[in-house]
Amino acid sequence: TTLTRLPRLMPVTTLLRMPKLTTLTPESVQPGSGPVRTCVGCRTKRPAEELHRLALVGGAVVFSRQAPGRGAWLCADRVEACGAEAVRRRAFDRAFRTRIDPDTLEL
């Protein structure tokens, strides 16, 4: 026979001290607010209409909401600053899952 090991249960006091994973407030979630995306530069979460989407099309990075494939999002009001931070952190490489030459980016 095979013995299965049960997971160890945590005491209630430990569970009460653990931080909550998500805190939903009426200000953060509004009915019909739409999808929320994260800027790859400054890592702030905003509604999708406040961000610009970049996509990799034929080896070139273009601004497009309808382009197929993987995309990266930048704050619409801080495109240059967030784009520079994303290049510094190599966030475009991770978002597109390929090496992006920073010299070819036109933000």
Side-chain angles (χ1 to χ4, degrees), residues 45-59:
K45 293 184 180 188
R46 293 183 170 193
E49 60 264 7
E50 294 180 14
L51 299 169
H52 288 304
R53 181 177 183 264
L54 288 90
L56 193 62
V57 177

Side-chain angles (χ1 to χ4, degrees), residues 52-73:
H52 288 304
R53 181 177 183 264
L54 288 90
L56 193 62
V57 177
V61 178
V62 296
F63 284 96
S64 173
R65 286 196 181 266
Q66 283 85 24
R70 299 190 59 82
W73 296 82

Side-chain angles (χ1 to χ4, degrees), residues 69-87:
R70 299 190 59 82
W73 296 82
L74 290 176
C75 295
D77 56 344
R78 302 182 50 211
V79 172
E80 293 84 16
C82 289
E85 183 66 16
V87 168

Side-chain angles (χ1 to χ4, degrees), residues 38-44 73-75 78 81-89 91-92:
T38 303
C39 173
V40 295
C42 64
R43 306 287 301 153
T44 57
W73 296 82
L74 290 176
C75 295
R78 302 182 50 211
C82 289
E85 183 66 16
V87 168
R88 187 188 70 79
R89 293 178 44 245
F92 290 120

